[in-house]
Amino acid sequence: STIIKGYCLDNRLDKARELLQEMKKSAIFQPDEITYNTLIHGYARFGNYEQGMALLAEMQELGVRPSNYTLSVVAKLAIRSRRPERAFELCEELSKQFGIRLNV
């Protein structure tokens, strides 16, 4: 996750995504909630809504459970992508689906 974060901070999201794909193939280094949150946050920094949402879907397909932090990152993704209404909708949907209590 640290290397992925470094790539994201350096605006090298393609490299971060490549590393995620390598991790998925590994028997030792499987991506977890922190890995996905880090990369979704990277996409949020640049307003890349579609890529961030694709990662959220992938995360769920692989059985990686979102957390409260995931909700905040997804909300940031929607807001920075100029879709504030989706921020509220996504938080509500994910909190219901996964039993996450929203922070106030």
Side-chain angles (χ1 to χ4, degrees):
S1 292
T2 303
I3 295 170
I4 288 178
K5 184 173 185 172
Y7 283 141
C8 289
L9 291 173
D10 197 33
N11 194 20
R12 296 171 65 193
L13 297 170
D14 55 334
K15 294 295 286 181
R17 182 75 171 169
E18 284 177 27
L19 183 54
L20 175 71
Q21 296 308 318
E22 288 178 32
M23 288 176 72
K24 288 170 41 182
K25 295 175 189 174
S26 170
I28 300 170
F29 301 109
Q30 286 296 303
D32 59 11
E33 176 242 332
I34 295 168
T35 308
Y36 279 100
N37 288 343
T38 301
L39 192 46
I40 293 169
H41 186 263
Y43 285 125
R45 289 183 65 222
F46 299 99
N48 293 333
Y49 183 80
E50 287 77 18
Q51 292 92 339
M53 291 304 296
L55 274 180
L56 178 65
E58 178 182 302
M59 176 183 183
Q60 293 175 45
E61 288 168 10
L62 294 176
V64 178
R65 187 174 176 79
S67 66
N68 262 345
Y69 186 73
T70 308
L71 295 182
S72 68
V73 171
V74 169
K76 185 182 289 186
L77 173 68
I79 290 166
R80 291 202 175 157
S81 301
R82 296 192 169 109
R83 299 175 190 210
E85 70 288 345
R86 283 298 292 150
F88 294 110
E89 292 168 2
L90 286 165
C91 286
E92 188 172 322
E93 290 169 15
L94 291 171
S95 66
K96 284 182 182 177
Q97 183 178 357
F98 293 98
I100 301 170
R101 188 167 179 233
L102 294 173
N103 289 340
V104 180

